[in-house]
Amino acid sequence: MTTHPTKLARLSSAASLAERRDALVAECALQRLALDVQTRQLLEPLTGGKLRHTLATRFKVPLMIGGGIVGLLLVRPRRFVPLLLAGASLLKHANTALPLIRTVLQRVGKRTPPPVERQPP
């Protein structure tokens, strides 16, 4: 059903006023249901459980790493600082070497021969 004036004019000649009213009430109910569904979809990311789950999955690993670093700093500060510096140096060298390794592997991967197709007996 529709609430457009020209379409309602056609209905008034063909149906009684009670039928028109019932059609409009049914259409309004459908519109209210659609509005309710759309409102829930808009507010869904703001619910507590969803927000808590999103933050927990994004910050779990960085918080674990940070907690481990703080724990090691508190327990063994003399041994951990040189280890941290060595790790940072290794990370720096790995960041410069990884693009080179990736390029070499891609070039090697392109030269593989195509698979031999077997014909059915």
Side-chain angles (χ1 to χ4, degrees), residues 3-115:
T3 56
H4 195 271
T6 57
K7 292 182 180 179
L8 286 177
R10 188 169 28 99
L11 277 179
S12 64
S13 64
S16 67
L17 291 177
E19 290 173 340
R20 282 182 55 205
R21 184 183 61 81
D22 291 340
L24 288 174
V25 167
E27 186 176 356
C28 289
L30 289 174
Q31 288 175 350
R32 280 194 300 274
L33 287 173
L35 181 64
D36 182 47
V37 168
Q38 290 173 354
T39 304
R40 287 182 191 205
Q41 288 174 348
L42 284 174
L43 296 177
E44 186 176 330
L46 301 177
T47 58
K50 196 79 156 169
L51 184 63
R52 198 174 326 120
H53 175 69
T54 302
L55 290 178
T57 56
R58 288 188 182 168
F59 292 123
K60 185 183 287 185
V61 173
L63 284 176
M64 287 172 25
I65 292 171
I69 291 172
V70 169
L72 287 173
L73 281 173
L74 292 175
V75 173
R76 301 186 187 267
R78 290 185 187 166
R79 293 182 187 171
F80 184 68
V81 173
L83 184 65
L84 184 63
L85 292 175
S89 176
L90 285 174
L91 185 63
K92 181 181 175 185
H93 291 300
N95 282 335
T96 57
L98 282 177
L100 177 65
I101 293 170
R102 183 180 303 132
T103 305
V104 169
L105 289 176
Q106 285 177 350
R107 288 183 182 173
V108 170
K110 288 181 182 176
R111 292 185 184 167
T112 57

